[in-house]
Amino acid sequence: MKTNATEARHKAKRSLEGKSMNRPENKPAMRRRRRRNGVIAIALALLAAGGGEAWATQHVQDRIAESVRRGMGLDSLPQVHVNGFPVSMQLARKKITEADIDAAQVPATVNGRVLIIQDLAVQLHGVHQAQGGRERADDAEATATIAYEDLSAFYGVAVDRGHGDDQLEVTTSVPLLGQVSASTRIGITGPRTIGVDDVRLSEKVPPAARTLLESSLERTTPLDNLPEGLAIRSVTVTDHGIVALMSGNDVDLQPRTA
């Protein structure tokens, strides 16, 4: 009899607990718990996705940076920033929408005298790996800044800014005459070369001095050691040096001189 009474009490207790759980005042608490659990699940999913996204971004940036370093013979890795989200989806599609490259102290030539580009900024669109793991881009734009001291070392005469957007002032030392200066114009002489012409000196300068200065400036300035497919569109004279704007389609990050 005691056993039956005990079982009856337990059944009654369970029945009351069930009714208590179904009371209206407990439903908001249950909803709050469900919302909290849902938020936690979403947060965990985002953390997992964020970790994968960070890995994908770093992987692509390192891949492009190493390709540029090897191709251009740089002493250190350039800075690479991949744009667009999510990068993991771009990586899965095997094409990166956009990537920016910033490199310093880039050798512009590999044969003869070496001209140094102080700063090279490249924006790539549609980056993908071709056969052999070579990085290519559907199209690209680049800005190459060459300091006057590097131009001076390349030409063997002192080069500085002139009085116009395309004017330079060059100075050299001539026996018996001392310092001789001239103004000259810098412009595009080929798809990937820069040169100077229209050398103007004072009428008082002897012909021998003129010939010496002009012969020093006959050398064109090739930008061969840059991504293949880029071509020079314009050259501008600034306070910090000359700036060449370049662009092209189907650009190979490995120069043809590599």
Side-chain angles (χ1 to χ4, degrees):
M1 294 294 293
K2 290 182 178 180
T3 301
N4 292 336
T6 301
E7 291 179 354
R9 283 197 300 271
H10 287 166
K11 288 181 180 180
K13 184 178 180 181
R14 287 195 295 269
S15 177
L16 288 173
E17 289 176 348
K19 291 179 180 179
S20 175
M21 291 295 293
N22 292 325
R23 287 176 184 173
E25 56 267 23
N26 288 321
K27 291 183 178 179
M30 295 176 64
R31 285 196 294 268
R32 285 195 295 271
R33 281 196 296 271
R34 284 196 295 267
R35 283 199 298 268
R36 184 170 60 250
N37 292 338
V39 170
I40 292 173
I42 293 173
L44 290 174
L46 289 175
L47 284 173
E53 182 66 13
W55 177 88
T57 301
Q58 192 62 51
H59 171 73
V60 174
Q61 291 177 166
D62 291 346
R63 190 187 79 187
I64 295 174
E66 179 60 26
S67 178
V68 172
R69 187 195 67 78
R70 289 198 314 267
M72 297 185 189
L74 305 180
D75 293 331
S76 59
L77 290 171
Q79 294 183 354
V80 178
H81 180 73
V82 175
N83 302 316
F85 183 86
V87 176
S88 54
M89 293 290 290
Q90 300 178 49
L91 186 60
R93 294 196 302 266
K94 299 183 178 181
K95 179 170 284 193
I96 304 303
T97 304
E98 186 177 285
D100 295 324
I101 300 172
D102 286 299
Q105 298 293 311
V106 178
T109 58
V110 293
N111 296 316
R113 295 184 185 180
V114 176
L115 175 68
I116 298 297
I117 297 175
Q118 286 292 329
D119 180 72
L120 177 67
V122 185
Q123 187 174 72
L124 307 170
H125 305 276
V127 187
H128 55 279
Q129 281 190 320
Q131 289 184 347
R134 297 170 62 140
E135 299 283 348
R136 302 186 73 91
D138 293 340
D139 57 85
E141 301 88 38
T143 301
T145 302
I146 305 171
Y148 292 121
E149 60 186 83
D150 293 312
L151 281 174
S152 300
F154 184 78
Y155 282 112
V157 296
V159 180
D160 206 342
R161 179 171 187 171
H163 299 291
D165 290 339
D166 63 349
Q167 298 293 314
L168 297 175
E169 182 176 293
V170 295
T171 304
T172 190
S173 180
V174 178
L176 303 178
L177 293 177
Q179 297 290 324
V180 175
S181 296
S183 66
T184 185
R185 186 180 67 85
I186 189 162
I188 302 171
T189 57
R192 294 166 67 90
T193 58
I194 299 170
V196 297
D197 60 9
D198 193 22
V199 180
R200 298 184 181 185
L201 296 92
S202 169
E203 294 180 357
K204 298 180 181 179
V205 176
R210 179 185 296 275
T211 300
L212 177 64
L213 194 55
E214 288 179 342
S215 62
S216 299
L217 299 174
E218 286 179 353
R219 180 187 296 269
T220 59
T221 309
L223 304 182
D224 289 334
N225 194 38
L226 295 181
E228 179 65 16
L230 290 175
I232 302 172
R233 306 304 179 189
S234 66
V235 181
T236 306
V237 174
T238 72
D239 290 338
H240 306 291
I242 63 171
V243 177
L245 298 181
M246 311 177 73
S247 64
N249 299 318
D250 191 21
V251 175
D252 190 338
L253 293 192
Q254 181 171 317
R256 64 183 171 191
T257 56

